[in-house]
């Protein structure tokens, strides 16, 4: 769980570069949305190999995600409703090996993006190099706001 990855100095504790990146993005979203109740992290389907971050918008405004929110059960994958009233946005922060340095998606990532869209989500791909360019210039919150505004 990403919210448990900060230490006492508010630095990100993790074992991989991908976990660190997700931790920074989770921290940014918590600040932008004023709370963790707006953020769900986990696997979108049982055969997923990488967690995602899910946000909920109702009539264009972010809303807390319900306590019992699930993306799948033991018996099936849950398809989300995606209409003007309610939509679920999925932030996909892939591992380095799933993109090239220019941000072009490689096979498994392309498939994941298509799968998420077919399940009713609005996927947003966050390329690690682009995110870190903005983080280095202390423009990471502006970058995240711009990405989320597009959906």
């Amino acid at each position: 769980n990403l919210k448990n990855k900060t230490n006492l100095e508010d630095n990100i504790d993790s074992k991989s570069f991908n976990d660190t990146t997700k931790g920074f993005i989770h921290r940014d979203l918590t600040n932008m949305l004023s709370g963790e109740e707006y953020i769900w992290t986990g696997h979108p389907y049982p055969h997923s190999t990488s967690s995602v971050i899910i946000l909920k918008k109702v009539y264009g405004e972010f809303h807390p995600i319900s306590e019992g929110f699930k993306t799948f059960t033991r018996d099936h994958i849950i398809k989300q409703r995606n209409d003007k009233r309610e939509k679920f946005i999925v932030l996909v922060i892939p591992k380095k090996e799933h993109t090239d340095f220019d941000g072009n998606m490689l096979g498994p990532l392309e498939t994941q993006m298509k799968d998420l869209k077919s399940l009713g989500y609005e996927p947003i791909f966050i390329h690690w190099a682009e995110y870190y360019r903005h983080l280095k210039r202390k423009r990471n919150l502006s970058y995240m706001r711009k990405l989320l505004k597009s959906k």
Side-chain angles (χ1 to χ4, degrees):
N1 194 339
L2 295 175
K3 58 185 150 193
N4 297 327
K5 296 214 182 255
T6 57
N7 62 25
L8 294 175
E9 291 81 35
D10 207 29
N11 295 319
I12 307 298
D13 285 335
S14 68
K15 296 188 180 10
S16 75
F17 179 81
N18 187 250
D19 282 346
T20 300
T21 305
K22 288 177 182 179
F24 284 137
I25 291 170
H26 186 276
R27 180 202 58 200
D28 291 351
L29 292 169
T30 302
N31 289 333
M32 288 168 47
L33 300 172
S34 301
E36 290 186 353
E37 65 272 15
Y38 294 89
I39 304 164
W40 184 90
T41 59
H43 292 271
Y45 31 78
H47 54 281
S48 166
T49 59
S50 185
S51 63
V52 296
I53 297 173
I54 297 179
L55 309 170
K56 178 181 173 181
K57 268 190 170 181
V58 177
Y59 291 113
E61 298 291 324
F62 288 102
H63 279 251
I65 295 189
S66 63
E67 184 85 21
F69 179 80
K70 291 181 183 177
T71 56
F72 61 90
T73 66
R74 198 178 95 166
D75 299 322
H76 70 284
I77 298 171
I78 300 169
K79 189 170 183 174
Q80 303 300 332
R81 177 173 65 201
N82 193 3
D83 55 31
K84 287 183 179 182
R85 190 183 80 76
E86 179 179 84
K87 71 168 81 173
F88 288 90
I89 297 168
V90 177
L91 303 180
V92 179
I93 305 112
K95 296 175 183 170
K96 283 184 176 181
E97 62 265 22
H98 293 160
T99 66
D100 65 15
F101 193 75
D102 294 324
N104 297 309
M105 293 184 239
L106 302 178
L109 179 57
E110 286 182 37
T111 301
Q112 181 184 22
M113 297 295 279
K114 287 176 189 172
D115 288 348
L116 290 167
K117 196 155 188 71
S118 72
L119 290 171
Y121 296 102
E122 291 277 337
I124 297 176
F125 161 60
I126 300 178
H127 184 236
W128 63 269
E130 186 71 17
Y131 175 78
Y132 278 100
R133 274 193 285 277
H134 287 85
L135 181 66
K136 187 176 181 180
R137 294 182 303 185
K138 298 186 186 329
R139 304 283 303 152
N140 47 313
L141 295 180
S142 296
Y143 172 71
M144 293 302 298
R145 280 188 196 94
K146 184 178 177 183
L147 283 178
L148 294 177
K149 194 175 242 184
S150 70
K151 293 292 179 184

